Amino acid sequence: MEIREKMKVAISIGDLNGVGIEIALKSHEKIKQWIKPVYCINEKMLKKAAKLFNYKIPEDFEIFEIEGDFEIKPGTVDADAGKYSFESFMTAVNLAKEKKVNAITTLPINKESWAKASIKYKGHTEVLRDVFKKDAIMMLGCEKMYVALFTEHIPLKEVAERVKKDRLIKFFIDFYNSTNFHKVGVLGLNPHAGDGGVLGEEEIKEILPAIKEANKIINKDFYYGPLVPDTAFSSGKGRFIAMYHDQGLAPLKALYFDESINVSLNLPILRTSVDHGTAFDIAYKGIANTKSYENAIKYILNHQKLT
């Protein structure tokens, strides 16, 4: 994959008790051919991590020093690791804000470790919304299929009250302006997409009117639906908006778990991420899959070509 000038990408290192650092080290030789990575970690913690799975640190492994020194405990929920992963992420964000890097890619954090470290956020996307005061959109997937989430990390019982026409229209317009897609399917909220109102009226009263209004504003038939959720993914391809987290991510991860990525849209910076967790069960065993991370970097390259 050839480009005229390599983009500089800040890599937030994730939870050091998980697989993130292994993925970064193992992928370095490959991704440095595509971009110039800058890893947000200090030398002391990098050496500790590499020693744990007997890996030689590449000589050109450029780091941006993040203060911190603690014991790495593979596979453990830990406040020190949570705090360090948050500071690594915030450093990457600030480097992007200051235009010292072109984009950021994040390795996995552990939400429970963040909570133990008294970090008020549930994840990366919530932080980005607060930092930039923008409605960041969470989109996950791969080239074959992308799924954006209208609601994310909220209890299922709260989803229906969020599915309102005005909110949907704003989301649809923001999403349209953040992608280069041609057609996007919108999932219904209820089984059978409400079955004409028999199983719920959100499709009739909120979702369909929002689709029509958004298409009118965009001046093209960009959105279609509401689609019946249990059959929408049967072809294994397409671009979709799901009303809630598991509605979109359960089928996506069943089909494309190893290759999917996470992208934050509707922000002044470009952020991509792996679409998997810290995988504590295999941490420092040398068997972590690097495909999602590599695809997250490739998305940045493709974005550069489109802009």
Side-chain angles (χ1 to χ4, degrees):
M1 191 176 296
E2 294 184 1
I3 53 177
R4 291 181 182 176
E5 184 179 349
K6 287 181 183 177
M7 298 179 76
K8 185 175 277 193
V9 179
I11 312 294
S12 74
I13 214 65
D15 193 303
L16 285 174
N17 290 341
V19 295
I21 186 61
E22 176 190 334
I23 288 170
L25 284 165
K26 283 166 54 175
S27 299
H28 177 72
E29 290 302 315
K30 182 180 286 188
I31 72 159
K32 76 177 186 181
Q33 306 301 320
W34 308 335
I35 55 117
K36 183 175 175 58
V38 180
Y39 303 93
C40 297
I41 185 173
N42 65 39
E43 187 175 0
K44 185 175 289 187
M45 296 309 300
L46 177 60
K47 286 181 177 178
K48 283 185 179 183
K51 185 178 180 181
L52 276 174
F53 71 108
N54 195 30
Y55 200 92
K56 184 179 179 181
I57 301 167
E59 290 183 5
D60 58 356
F61 199 85
E62 182 180 345
I63 62 175
F64 190 94
E65 290 272 343
I66 311 297
E67 287 186 13
D69 182 11
F70 59 94
E71 180 187 355
I72 296 174
K73 305 170 187 174
T76 304
V77 175
D78 177 70
D80 288 333
K83 182 175 184 289
Y84 198 81
S85 67
F86 179 74
E87 291 176 354
S88 176
F89 174 54
M90 290 307 302
T91 297
V93 170
N94 288 330
L95 287 172
K97 281 177 68 178
E98 295 165 7
K99 301 191 183 304
K100 293 178 179 177
V101 297
N102 302 100
I104 69 173
T105 294
T106 56
L107 287 161
I109 56 98
N110 183 277
K111 293 178 175 60
E112 194 177 347
S113 294
W114 274 23
K116 277 199 166 189
S118 300
I119 295 164
K120 65 179 181 178
Y121 303 102
K122 295 178 182 177
H124 293 116
T125 308
E126 288 87 344
V127 177
L128 292 169
R129 287 197 183 105
D130 197 15
V131 169
F132 293 105
K133 308 304 178 189
K134 295 274 288 182
D135 293 327
I137 294 173
M138 184 184 291
M139 182 179 77
L140 302 100
C142 58
E143 193 55 40
K144 301 181 192 76
M145 178 186 292
Y146 280 109
V147 181
L149 304 180
F150 176 64
T151 65
E152 300 154 11
H153 300 133
I154 64 171
L156 190 57
K157 66 182 180 180
E158 295 178 13
V159 172
E161 65 190 49
R162 300 279 187 99
V163 179
K164 299 299 180 186
K165 176 185 171 184
D166 289 346
R167 283 180 174 173
L168 285 163
I169 291 170
K170 184 180 185 306
F171 183 95
F172 292 161
I173 299 302
D174 287 342
F175 183 77
Y176 171 78
N177 290 330
S178 301
T179 70
N180 65 323
F181 298 153
H182 301 293
K183 280 277 188 181
V184 175
V186 179
L187 303 187
L189 172 66
N190 299 295
H192 302 184
D195 240 351
V198 175
L199 300 177
E201 296 185 329
E202 284 84 2
E203 287 77 13
I204 296 171
K205 292 184 175 180
E206 311 293 346
I207 301 174
L208 182 57
I211 290 173
K212 289 180 176 179
E213 184 63 25
N215 283 342
K216 183 179 178 181
I217 294 169
I218 294 167
N219 197 29
K220 65 194 296 187
D221 291 329
F222 183 76
Y223 293 106
Y224 62 98
L227 303 176
V228 175
D230 65 0
T231 59
F233 299 93
S234 58
S235 70
K237 59 184 180 180
R239 281 85 175 96
F240 304 99
I241 291 175
M243 291 298 108
Y244 58 94
H245 187 279
D246 289 9
Q247 182 191 52
L249 299 194
L252 174 68
K253 292 189 177 185
L255 290 166
Y256 303 116
F257 182 78
D258 287 335
E259 56 190 293
S260 287
I261 67 170
N262 186 333
V263 184
S264 297
L265 301 173
N266 199 39
L267 292 172
I269 68 167
L270 176 59
R271 175 256 174 171
T272 66
S273 177
V274 296
D275 181 24
H276 60 72
T278 47
F280 279 167
D281 57 323
I282 62 168
Y284 294 91
K285 294 182 179 179
I287 58 174
N289 192 310
T290 62
K291 186 69 174 176
S292 179
Y293 175 60
E294 291 164 12
N295 283 350
I297 299 297
K298 287 179 181 177
Y299 184 95
I300 294 171
L301 290 176
N302 292 332
H303 179 88
Q304 183 196 35
K305 290 178 180 180
L306 292 168
T307 55

